[in-house]
Amino acid sequence: MLSILVYINMNLKNYLYKKIIKATILSGIYDTSYISLRHSNKEVFGEYQINGIIKIANKLNKTPTFIAKNIIHNLNIKNILYKIKIVKPGFINLFIHRLWLANQAELMFNSINFNIKKQTGTVIIDYSSPNIAKEMHVGHLRSTILGDTAVRISKFLGYKVIKVNHIGDWGTQFGMLITYLETNNILFNKKITLENLEKYYCLAKKEYKKNKEFEKKTKICVVKLQKKNVKYYSIWKKITKITINYNQNIYHLLNITLKKKNIVGESFYNDKLSLVVNDLIKKNIATKNNGSIIVFSQKFKDKNNKNLGVVIKKKDGRYLYTTIDIACLKYRCNELKAKNIIYYVDSRQKQHFDQVYEISLRAGYIPKNVKIKYHFFGMILNENNHPFKTRNGDNIKLLYLIHKVIKRTKKLVIKKNNKKSLKKINHITNIIAIGAIKYYDLSKDRKINYVFNLDKMLSFEGNTALYIQYNYARIKSIINKSKKYKFNQKNSLIITNGLEAKIIFKTLQFEEIVVRSTKQGKYHILCEYLYNITNLFSKYYQKYPIIKIIKNEIGQNRLKISILVSRIIKQSLNILGIKTVDKI
Ligand code: ARG
């Protein structure tokens, strides 16, 4: 008998997997590591396929069919399956009852949170983290977008999230800039913009390289700044303020949740740096070396195959990026008592974080139960597959890039909506442009580099934001049209054809997808899912009329399915930080 109202309240795949592992053990097979469960890629193979049986059979010197039969015999989910099939050379296909699927979807429909299991605990997410006195550039786009998605998805799953914008607001570059401003008698007034500051900073850097006197002054300035010298500190504060205001503007434009209060920059750790260095010396991890303080790595070698030396304090007293990140990690583990910390950083910083992690671990700053994840990402490239730079070799400014996309989007929107008011056009343009930038990034595996391609980004076809937003608008319009009629929610959802079965099965994978995306910090998994469910649904509404037959039961059922799918699409887009429009 089918136990229809037992909702499993966890992801379906996980539920089945656990049952299969149990059955495997009951069959006398204790090493279950080979067993895996996959979604079947063809309808004839049912919903799921159990893999790994051939390997087990080889190991135990038995036939795969013998092993498969044993597992099936012990499998305690027969009530939800209408067919279990052994397929040569050694797979098991599982076919789930449509009634059971429909009932799970019904329960999902009636729950507020898609019946997703709530997670507990706190997670710190370190992301965006641009440097002060410079405009944000294309290199900060991925960290900002990926990190913010991590924030939204973690919150959705129930985690308490601490967002941190670890801005680069400390170090030699400020000494250079302040020294430059001072030697050239440049005073702060209202007219000074971030663009000016960045220009001065570039000039300062050049001066620092060629002028020994300037270099000396800079170093003295840095040390004084680190000691919070009143004059220098006040200039530094002004520089920081100008940059932060500029960045907040970009966050607002990109629909990023970071607020000023989330800034805990490098400068925050200033008082903790000397303590850390002394502690590392005391613990015999750091040593004096030609006047500076160095930690010799036990894991990494330098060019000469000697243990790599990581400087944590320079001869002249300056501390480094590494020192700050060690103090920061110690603070997060020991003061904030974080159990989960995630960094969204460029893969080119991998070595830096490896060193920070190694030193912090040796110093005992990371308790055993703390999970630290470095979610590295690749670069954004130009059409020629080169890093995205201007002709002079500077990084492309993020604001420039955003405006470029907005400009192109506006043309497209005007073409489709020439009768709308300018205000409305600007509104739609913004949502589409920002959605396109974010989705294009998030739909790529974060580990790989990708080419910034405006045409692909703004295409109505394929796995793009526009495709999803367009179809979402269509579903919403059907749902809105149906509002004139009575909707009988009480009728339990049913599956009446193959396409509905596929759609419902997809809706039941939502939790599994969200959890997997979160674990790996890879949101292209969610994007792919979103694209597939949207695609299935677009086929559905083209094939099966809804409003025309809204008064009968089948029409009502179709409406219910449409509402469920629309909620999933909306929720997924929310997680990705992408807004929707009524009409495109
Ligand atoms: N400020 C750095 C940059 O612009 C990123 C900082 C990442 N976070 C950290 N804790 N180091 O590349």
Side-chain angles (χ1 to χ4, degrees), residues 1-6 77-81 97 99-100:
M1 184 46 209
L2 192 63
S3 48
I4 47 174
L5 280 174
V6 185
I77 35 172
K78 296 191 186 88
N79 55 340
I80 69 166
L81 303 174
H97 274 296
L99 183 56
W100 189 84

Side-chain angles (χ1 to χ4, degrees), residues 47 171 173 184 311 365 385 539 541 554:
E47 275 75 29
Q173 63 269 39
N184 290 283
V311 181
Y365 298 157
N385 268 315
K539 282 187 191 136
Y541 72 65
I554 294 289

Side-chain angles (χ1 to χ4, degrees), residues 273-488:
L273 302 176
S274 62
L275 293 172
V276 164
V277 171
N278 289 339
D279 190 45
L280 291 173
I281 295 173
K282 208 176 86 201
K283 288 177 175 158
N284 274 332
I285 296 168
T287 43
K288 284 210 174 96
N289 195 301
N290 285 335
S292 48
I293 312 283
I294 290 193
V295 177
F296 284 100
S297 171
Q298 295 175 341
K299 269 175 92 178
F300 303 101
K301 303 274 179 197
D302 62 13
K303 278 181 273 172
N304 308 319
N305 210 25
K306 294 237 167 74
N307 286 359
L308 185 78
V310 184
V311 181
I312 54 169
K313 188 176 178 183
K314 293 235 183 185
K315 238 189 222 167
D316 52 30
R318 284 177 299 151
Y319 297 99
L320 292 105
Y321 186 46
T322 316
T323 333
I324 296 176
D325 258 321
I326 298 170
C328 167
L329 187 53
K330 179 174 186 273
Y331 176 79
R332 287 174 183 173
C333 291
N334 304 344
E335 311 280 323
L336 297 181
K337 307 255 181 260
K339 293 281 170 282
N340 295 290
I341 308 171
I342 312 176
Y343 294 79
Y344 279 88
V345 273
D346 191 304
S347 7
R348 286 166 292 182
Q349 293 200 23
K350 184 170 183 308
Q351 205 192 15
H352 161 75
F353 284 105
D354 280 345
Q355 290 163 0
V356 169
Y357 186 80
E358 188 207 321
I359 298 170
S360 308
L361 200 66
R362 278 165 63 190
Y365 298 157
I366 311 174
K368 274 217 170 67
N369 57 351
V370 175
K371 274 196 220 123
I372 300 173
K373 287 188 190 168
Y374 299 102
H375 285 165
F376 295 111
F377 52 80
M379 284 187 284
I380 303 183
L381 307 173
N382 65 18
E383 320 265 273
N384 305 321
N385 268 315
H386 292 308
F388 222 163
K389 300 247 166 160
T390 63
R391 268 193 218 142
N392 322 334
D394 297 330
N395 283 317
I396 300 264
K397 306 266 191 281
L398 191 48
L399 200 57
Y400 163 82
L401 207 66
I402 298 171
H403 282 307
K404 201 170 147 170
V405 182
I406 291 181
K407 216 166 134 192
R408 174 76 80 86
T409 310
K410 196 162 177 176
K411 275 192 201 147
L412 192 138
V413 173
I414 290 175
K415 224 160 93 193
K416 297 229 166 224
N417 298 279
N418 55 4
K419 288 199 194 78
K420 288 213 166 92
S421 70
L422 189 63
K423 198 173 156 207
K424 190 92 193 149
I425 284 180
N426 284 339
H427 173 75
I428 300 176
T429 299
N430 249 313
I431 291 180
I432 293 179
I434 300 308
I437 297 174
K438 288 175 122 175
Y439 194 87
Y440 196 68
D441 189 292
L442 293 164
S443 62
K444 305 274 183 283
D445 187 326
R446 71 172 154 78
K447 291 231 163 158
I448 56 170
N449 300 337
Y450 74 80
V451 174
F452 196 88
N453 183 322
L454 260 174
D455 292 326
K456 284 194 184 152
M457 204 177 271
L458 284 168
S459 165
F460 277 94
E461 304 293 325
N463 189 7
T464 65
L466 255 179
Y467 177 80
I468 316 268
Q469 285 165 323
Y470 173 76
N471 277 290
Y472 179 75
R474 297 282 303 264
I475 307 177
K476 274 309 261 193
S477 119
I478 297 172
I479 296 172
N480 286 340
K481 274 186 201 145
S482 76
K483 287 197 174 133
K484 284 195 282 213
Y485 309 93
K486 203 172 160 241
F487 174 40
N488 191 358

Side-chain angles (χ1 to χ4, degrees), residues 80-128:
I80 69 166
L81 303 174
Y82 72 88
K83 194 159 95 181
I84 305 177
K85 207 172 146 192
I86 301 173
V87 182
K88 292 238 147 81
F91 306 104
I92 301 174
N93 288 148
L94 308 176
F95 298 74
I96 304 179
H97 274 296
R98 282 187 176 176
L99 183 56
W100 189 84
L101 289 176
N103 281 315
Q104 302 312 306
E106 172 69 22
L107 288 164
M108 193 180 199
F109 184 93
N110 290 319
S111 101
I112 345 165
N113 212 21
F114 302 91
N115 244 336
I116 286 182
K117 195 174 149 202
K118 274 240 167 244
Q119 306 288 330
T120 52
T122 304
V123 49
I124 293 185
I125 304 179
D126 177 322
Y127 71 109
S128 190

Side-chain angles (χ1 to χ4, degrees), residues 494-539:
I494 51 169
I495 294 174
T496 67
N497 58 52
L499 199 47
E500 282 181 352
K502 275 192 190 167
I503 292 174
I504 294 300
F505 182 50
K506 268 267 171 265
T507 64
L508 297 177
Q509 285 161 32
F510 189 44
E511 177 169 356
E512 172 195 327
I513 296 293
V514 170
V515 170
R516 190 164 3 122
S517 302
T518 310
K519 267 199 182 142
Q520 301 181 20
K522 288 187 168 183
Y523 309 105
H524 72 281
I525 300 172
L526 179 60
C527 291
E528 219 164 277
Y529 169 81
L530 186 53
Y531 172 60
N532 288 335
I533 197 165
T534 307
N535 195 15
L536 277 177
F537 194 80
S538 111
K539 282 187 191 136

